[in-house]
Amino acid sequence: MNDVSLPKYYRESFFANDTLLHPELPGGRPGIAGDPVPYTVRNDDAITCILLFCFVLAISAFAHSRQSIMQQVKDFFLYILYTPKSDKTSAGENGGKSFFQVFLCLQTCLLLSITYYLYITRDGNMAFVLDTPYQMTGIFGGVFIAYFLIKYLAYKFVNLTFFGSKKSKQWTWVLSFIIALEGVALFPSVMLQVYFGLPVQNVVNYFFLILLLTKLLTIFKCWSIFFRQIGVFLQIILYLCALEIVPLLSLAGILVLTTDCLKVNF
């Protein structure tokens, strides 16, 4: 049988004959174990890279399409109270302009998901079944994308049925522009909360203010495009309730239900 014992120079070291050497005893570590550093969004490299990417891409798109963007802003706010004879707002949606609006709409969904995640984790005493915040923000971002997509399809179906393709195309441009404006307005508040410690409640209050302003703009543009005739107050209320209020309440319910499903119930 082969000898499998270790050689002497493996079994003995330089301090083998020292009386103070007791390798069989655990040495341990001095001091006490410290508390782990809690997770913060400001220290998350992935979230920082995403926000920085959104900022750089938005600035780059604005620098390359400045005239087009300024014309969109002018067309939108100049025709809040009346509709131009020519379909100026819906025409000219070239590749750069449409890409810019689609990017800002996706950025709006991302910022809304980050804001909602910060809101539900503001106390730090809620545990979730998912380990990383990326999965949480991804799920909430998917909910917001589905909300805007369903609302877009509902508007498209109703407007094509009752108002024709010209006004439907014009309203599609208006809707995407309002969503893009919402994302641009939310970006500073998210940056202030993440990197400068702005209270989450202030961010939520600011969000509701932006939401109120966007809904007012939606009402004005809806009246300007579809309901300029006198005596159609009931129609515009029904139109906005069916396509704005009901989807918004449904979104709130879905977000609460999703949070309850992801939360660890002890």
Side-chain angles (χ1 to χ4, degrees):
M1 186 174 62
N2 295 329
D3 185 11
V4 293
S5 60
L6 293 175
K8 183 178 180 180
Y9 51 83
Y10 279 126
R11 289 184 284 105
E12 295 184 3
S13 64
F14 180 79
F15 300 98
N17 297 324
D18 194 336
T19 57
L20 299 179
L21 178 64
H22 296 283
E24 71 279 2
L25 299 178
R29 294 183 179 180
I32 60 176
D35 296 330
V37 178
Y39 171 82
T40 55
V41 180
R42 75 178 64 182
N43 296 327
D44 195 317
D45 295 336
I47 298 296
T48 301
C49 292
I50 291 174
L51 293 176
L52 184 62
F53 173 76
C54 291
F55 178 76
V56 171
L57 191 58
I59 294 298
S60 177
F62 181 79
H64 288 84
S65 307
R66 183 183 309 172
Q67 297 297 329
S68 174
I69 295 169
M70 296 304 296
Q71 186 63 42
Q72 288 187 72
V73 175
K74 180 180 177 181
D75 291 343
F76 183 85
F77 289 102
L78 184 63
Y79 304 124
I80 281 183
L81 296 179
Y82 69 94
T83 305
K85 294 181 179 179
S86 62
D87 193 12
K88 190 177 181 179
T89 57
S90 61
E93 288 186 339
N94 51 37
K97 183 185 294 187
S98 60
F99 169 76
F100 182 75
Q101 284 197 351
V102 170
F103 164 72
L104 287 182
C105 291
L106 293 176
Q107 178 180 279
T108 301
C109 297
L110 174 63
L111 295 176
L112 287 174
S113 63
I114 294 176
T115 302
Y116 185 72
Y117 173 76
L118 295 174
Y119 173 74
I120 63 176
T121 58
R122 64 191 184 280
D123 297 330
N125 55 2
M126 186 180 298
F128 296 95
V129 296
L130 299 177
D131 298 331
T132 61
Y134 315 124
Q135 297 171 331
M136 300 281 293
T137 54
I139 291 174
F140 295 140
V143 171
F144 284 110
I145 291 175
Y147 162 72
F148 287 119
L149 183 60
I150 292 174
K151 190 168 75 167
Y152 166 79
L153 294 176
Y155 269 119
K156 196 75 173 177
F157 175 77
V158 173
N159 293 337
L160 285 175
T161 302
F162 295 100
F163 303 106
S165 60
K166 182 179 180 180
K167 290 187 176 181
S168 175
K169 186 177 180 182
Q170 188 177 0
W171 180 253
T172 300
W173 177 87
V174 168
L175 183 63
S176 61
F177 190 77
I178 290 176
I179 296 173
L181 283 180
E182 189 175 358
V184 172
L186 281 176
F187 192 80
S189 65
V190 174
M191 297 292 287
L192 288 175
Q193 199 286 325
V194 171
Y195 298 107
F196 296 96
L198 184 68
V200 179
Q201 189 59 44
N202 293 345
V203 177
V204 173
N205 295 335
Y206 177 76
F207 164 73
F208 281 111
L209 177 62
I210 296 300
L211 182 64
L212 177 63
L213 293 177
T214 54
K215 295 309 175 186
L216 290 177
L217 288 176
T218 303
I219 292 173
F220 277 121
K221 291 299 293 184
C222 180
W223 174 83
S224 176
I225 295 175
F226 301 118
F227 303 101
R228 290 184 58 83
Q229 296 84 2
I230 300 176
V232 292
F233 181 76
L234 180 60
Q235 287 86 337
I236 190 172
I237 292 296
L238 294 175
Y239 182 84
L240 292 175
C241 285
L243 298 176
E244 283 290 335
I245 305 301
V246 173
L248 188 61
L249 295 178
S250 301
L251 172 65
I254 292 174
L255 287 175
V256 173
L257 181 62
T258 305
T259 305
D260 291 336
C261 294
L262 296 175
K263 185 171 58 175
V264 176
N265 297 316
F266 297 99

